[in-house]
Amino acid sequence: MKTRVSVLGLGRMGAALARALIKAGHPSTVWNRSPDKAQPLAALGATVAATVRDAISASDVIIVNVTDCAASQALLRDPKVAETLRGKLIVELSSGTPREAREAARWMETQGALYLDGAILATPDIIGSAAATILVSGPLAAFTAHQETLATLGAVSHVGEDPGTAAALEAVGLSQLWGGLFAALQAIAIAEAEGIPLATLERQWKEGVPVIEGLVADLIKRASGKRFTADAETLSTVGVHAHALRHLADISRIHNLDPGLTRTYESRFERAIAAGHLEDDFAAMTQFTRAAPEAAPKAAGGTRPSAHT
Ligand code: NAP
C-alpha cells in the first residue's frame, strides 16, 4: 500500500507535484486556496479537501507548496490546523530563507510534527522525472522513512540535518540562475546595439560555456584552499580582469545601458586593488563580496601595494 500524501497549494508547481504522486499510485488528497485549481486533479483521482485541516488529517505525509514559506506558516499555524499536525511529516517545498526554515522546524517540533524543508531546483514540466533536482534538509530518519515516496517527485536528495541547508543551497542556485540570466540580458542589449544577430550571440555564448565552467571550477578550488596569491597555475589575475572590464564598461556607456551592472563589478575591483590584490589570482575577489569594505580581510600573502587602478 502506497503512502497517503496530501498536497497543499496547487499552483503551477504544486499541481505538478500532485500529478506525479497520483501517477505513482499514492492515494492523494489536495487542497488549494482557490478551489477551482483542484478540479483537474480530482479528475485524475485525487480527493479534494475542503479545508487545510481536512487535508492534513487525511495523510501522514503533507507536502506544502504555496508562494512562500510565510504564506505556508500562516496556513499551518492556524490553531485549528496546528492541532492536526502531531505525528505528521510536513515537507515544506515553498521557497523561503534558511532562517524561516529553521524557525518553522523549531515550531513544528513544539507541535509534535516532523519537518523537512526543501528546495525545488526544477520547473513544473520535469517534476516526476530524474531531471527534477529537489533538495531537502532536516532529520535524516524522517527523510529515509519516506524516501521512496519523495522519489516520485524527482531526484530528491537529503543535504543535511540543519533544516536551513536546502534553502541556503537554493540561494546558491538563484545566484547561478540570475548571474547567467542578467549577463545574458546585458549581452543581448550589446548585440542589438551593435547590430549583431542574436543567433551569432547564441553561438558564441555556447562556445563560452566550457571556458566559464573551467574558470568557476578553478575559482572554487582556489577559494577552498584560500590560494589567493598568483602562482604558476593562475589563469588570470585581478588586474587583468579589471583592465578588460573597462571595455565592457565603455561599450555599455556608449550604448546608454544601465551602468549599475558594470559599476558593481568596477567597485569590487577597486576595493580589491586598493587592498593590494592587483597582481593576485582572481580568487582573491572572494574576499570582497561583503557590503562593508572594512569587513574584508587581507589575503594570505596578497598585500602588495596597487600599481594602478
Ligand atoms: P503559483 O503558480 O503562483 O502558485 C502559487 C500557489 O500558492 C497557489 O496555489 C496559490 O493559491 C498559493 N498561495 C499563495 N498565497 C497563498 C496564501 N496566502 N494562502 C494559501 N495559498 C496561497 O506559483 P508556483 O510556480 O506554483 O510556485 C510555488 C512555489 O514553488 C514557490 O515557492 C516557488 O518559488 C516554488 N518553485 C516554483 C518553480 C516554478 O518553476 N514554478 C520552481 C522552483 C520552485 P491560489 O491558487 O489560491 O492563488
Side-chain angles (χ1 to χ4, degrees):
M1 179 68 182
K2 297 257 188 182
T3 305
R4 305 184 72 84
V5 184
S6 292
V7 180
L8 306 180
L10 303 172
R12 285 170 193 83
M13 184 54 82
L17 297 170
R19 278 195 300 271
L21 289 160
I22 296 164
K23 194 173 162 199
H26 286 278
S28 304
T29 299
V30 295
W31 174 89
N32 194 60
R33 180 178 61 180
S34 315
D36 52 309
K37 288 188 186 157
Q39 290 321 309
L41 295 155
L44 296 176
T47 301
V48 180
T51 64
V52 174
R53 185 186 161 93
D54 290 349
I56 292 174
S57 301
S59 304
D60 292 330
V61 176
I62 318 297
I63 292 174
V64 190
N65 187 254
V66 292
T67 300
D68 57 26
C69 202
S72 168
Q73 285 293 300
L75 291 176
L76 299 174
R77 292 192 188 213
D78 177 317
K80 283 202 171 68
V81 173
E83 66 189 22
T84 62
L85 292 172
R86 182 163 295 280
K88 309 285 181 179
L89 170 65
I90 308 298
V91 184
E92 177 60 85
L93 295 182
S94 316
S95 294
T97 65
R99 183 181 292 190
E100 286 174 323
R102 291 178 190 122
E103 169 54 27
R106 274 192 291 273
W107 183 77
M108 287 292 170
E109 199 175 348
T110 67
Q111 306 304 306
L114 287 166
Y115 182 77
L116 291 171
D117 194 89
I120 303 175
L121 308 185
T123 46
D125 53 320
I126 57 171
I127 291 298
S129 78
T133 297
I134 301 177
L135 311 177
V136 294
S137 50
L140 179 61
F143 171 74
T144 308
H146 295 283
Q147 191 168 5
E148 205 179 316
T149 300
L150 296 175
T152 63
L153 304 176
V156 184
S157 51
H158 183 262
V159 290
E161 293 266 342
D162 172 355
T165 302
L169 288 173
E170 181 177 27
V172 168
L174 293 176
S175 301
Q176 185 181 13
L177 171 75
W178 286 317
L181 287 178
F182 277 96
L185 291 177
Q186 184 87 356
I188 289 167
I190 291 169
E192 286 181 340
E194 291 284 332
I196 293 167
L198 292 186
T200 305
L201 178 152
E202 188 181 12
R203 196 167 56 245
Q204 187 191 310
W205 190 277
K206 283 181 180 159
E207 285 168 7
V209 167
V211 178
I212 294 165
E213 279 180 353
L215 284 165
V216 171
D218 183 65
L219 176 59
I220 291 170
K221 195 168 76 184
R222 280 191 166 264
S224 309
K226 305 239 176 293
R227 288 170 53 215
F228 302 142
T229 304
D231 55 31
E233 290 172 9
T234 285
L235 301 173
S236 43
T237 60
V238 170
V240 163
H241 279 276
H243 195 77
L245 175 61
R246 291 174 189 176
H247 306 141
L248 177 62
D250 276 356
I251 197 169
S252 300
R253 261 190 295 276
I254 288 164
H255 294 306
N256 196 28
L257 303 182
D258 181 349
L261 194 76
T262 46
R263 192 60 214 125
T264 300
Y265 300 160
E266 282 171 335
S267 86
R268 295 273 180 97
F269 281 126
E270 281 161 10
R271 282 169 52 197
I273 290 167
H277 298 283
L278 180 77
E279 293 168 37
D280 282 339
D281 190 282
F282 180 81
M285 295 298 295
T286 54
Q287 302 166 105
F288 298 91
T289 51
R290 290 180 195 277
E294 60 275 15
K298 291 274 187 221
T303 52
R304 288 178 294 284
S306 63
H308 62 266
T309 57

